[in-house]
Amino acid sequence: MKDNSKISSAVIKRLPRYRRYLYDLQKKNVDRISSNELSNLIGYTASQIRQDLNNFGGFGQQGYGYNIQSLYNEISAILGLDQEYKMVIVGTGNLGQAIANYTHYYKSGFKVAAMFDVNPKLIGLRINDIEVLDYEMLDEFMKNNTIDIGIICTNKDSAQEVVDKLCAGGVKGIWNFAPTDLNLSDDIALENVHLSDSLHSLAYYINRNKQKDS
């Protein structure tokens, strides 16, 4: 078995894209595909695709290419998508509710077990049959339930306190939408989604293209 701990984050971030394209190909009843054909679809070079996949073992056959269903299943297992994850969302404003709705309708093995907020107007609200609980109940809930992922949709001033509570409660990963960097131990996975950073990067590329055209 290969040691996946040394594989770069860039490779890991490309795997969901491979999986998404493979899923679409399965829906079209395509059985196999070569790295060159996948390159034409996805935009990465065939060499890059082969190199990425070879990090995890030999999935393709020379002269045959990749079996699409098999490769889809392999990538799903590599990403840990062959199991279910229980999550809590802290902060149930517009963004928190949007994420709850997304995970509910996407039905991808990520299940929201509870939602929390400090706003009395939101406490008691039901979203996809899940009641928004008072944030004061978070510690007790974490003690009584096994939760894999904590989703942070609070403002930046509250985020670190929330993360501390979630980590103390045993979460294995944090999906952070708060516009701040968080401090947590190395054994807890962290994925930051800073929406403003993404939007600002988009503005940069728009203006860079304008400069090219001028």
Side-chain angles (χ1 to χ4, degrees), residues 114-186:
M115 305 178 69
F116 299 88
D117 208 288
V118 297
N119 187 343
K121 294 181 179 179
L122 294 175
I123 295 169
L125 182 70
R126 299 192 73 87
I127 301 170
N128 300 318
D129 289 330
I130 300 172
E131 183 180 358
V132 177
L133 303 175
D134 191 324
Y135 173 67
E136 295 297 325
M137 299 174 64
L138 178 61
D139 288 334
E140 188 66 23
F141 184 89
M142 295 299 293
K143 287 179 183 177
N144 296 325
N145 296 272
T146 300
I147 300 298
D148 303 295
I149 298 172
I151 304 175
I152 312 299
C153 298
T154 66
N155 59 40
K156 65 179 183 179
D157 294 331
S158 304
Q160 186 62 54
E161 176 193 303
V162 173
V163 166
D164 292 342
K165 288 178 178 289
L166 291 171
C167 291
V171 297
K172 302 176 183 68
I174 296 291
W175 199 18
N176 175 40
F177 287 84
T180 188
D181 294 323
L182 301 171
N183 296 315
L184 63 164
S185 62
D186 292 338

Side-chain angles (χ1 to χ4, degrees), residues 9 15 22 50 67 69 78 94-95 101 110-111 113 119 121-122 126-128 140 142 149 169 186 198 209 213:
S9 60
L15 292 182
L22 292 167
R50 290 193 296 270
N67 178 284
Q69 182 175 354
I78 290 166
N94 292 333
L95 180 57
N101 286 325
F110 296 88
K111 181 181 179 182
N119 187 343
K121 294 181 179 179
L122 294 175
R126 299 192 73 87
I127 301 170
N128 300 318
E140 188 66 23
M142 295 299 293
I149 298 172
D186 292 338
S198 180
N209 291 338
D213 296 337

